[in-house]
Amino acid sequence: MLVVGAGPVARRRIAALVEAEAAIEVVAIDAPELGLPLQRRAFRHSDVDGAWLVHACTGVVDDDVAAACRARGVWCVRADDAARSAAWVPAVASVDGVVVSVTAGRDPRRSVRLRDAIALAVERGRRSHESHVRNRRIRERVPAAATTVTDRW
C-alpha cells in the first residue's frame, strides 16, 4: 500500500493502516520520521507500480497520483476530493470495543458527522449503563431498614 504525502490527513491514515498491520510505503517531499519505508522526494508515476491501493494525501499533486493509478488500474483514495476518488475511507470510531464505520456516499463530512453522532450515542449508553450498575450496587448495600424509615414519613 502506498501513501503519498505526510501531512495531518496522511498521518491519520498511516496510523490507521499501521494499526491494521498493513504493509505501507510513504512518498513525501517533507515528512517526519514515521518508522516506515519512506522516500523523501516528489511523487513519480512509477511509485504506483506494485501497489493495490494508494492514498493521495498531498493537496498538491493528488490529480497526478490519481491519473497514475487510473492508468495502472490501481485503487486510489483522494484526500482532496472524494467525488473524484475511485475509493473511499470510512469515518471510523472505536468506543469501548464497539467499532463504528460510516460511509455516506461521497460526502466525507457527512460521514464524520454521522460517525461522531453514533460514537456519542454509544458513549452515552455506556455512561447510562455504568450509572445504572452503580445505583444498583448502592441499593444492594443499603440495609432494608434504612429504606423502611423513609417510607414511614
Side-chain angles (χ1 to χ4, degrees), residues 1 16 19 24 31 39 43 53 58 78-79 84 87-88 90 94 103 111 118 124-125 136 144 149:
M1 195 167 315
E19 187 176 328
I24 310 163
Q39 297 185 46
F43 169 76
L53 178 67
T58 68
R78 294 180 63 137
R84 296 189 308 162
W88 303 270
S94 179
T103 58
S111 297
I118 294 166
R124 284 181 176 165
R136 187 181 71 223
V149 171

Side-chain angles (χ1 to χ4, degrees), residues 28-44:
I29 293 172
D30 185 26
E33 185 52 50
L34 300 167
L36 301 166
L38 170 63
Q39 297 185 46
R40 287 186 175 94
R41 60 170 174 73
F43 169 76
R44 298 179 194 142

Side-chain angles (χ1 to χ4, degrees), residues 1-24:
M1 195 167 315
L2 174 66
V3 177
V4 182
V9 172
R11 286 194 303 272
R12 280 196 310 271
R13 292 192 180 170
I14 289 168
L17 293 168
V18 166
E19 187 176 328
E21 300 180 6
I24 310 163

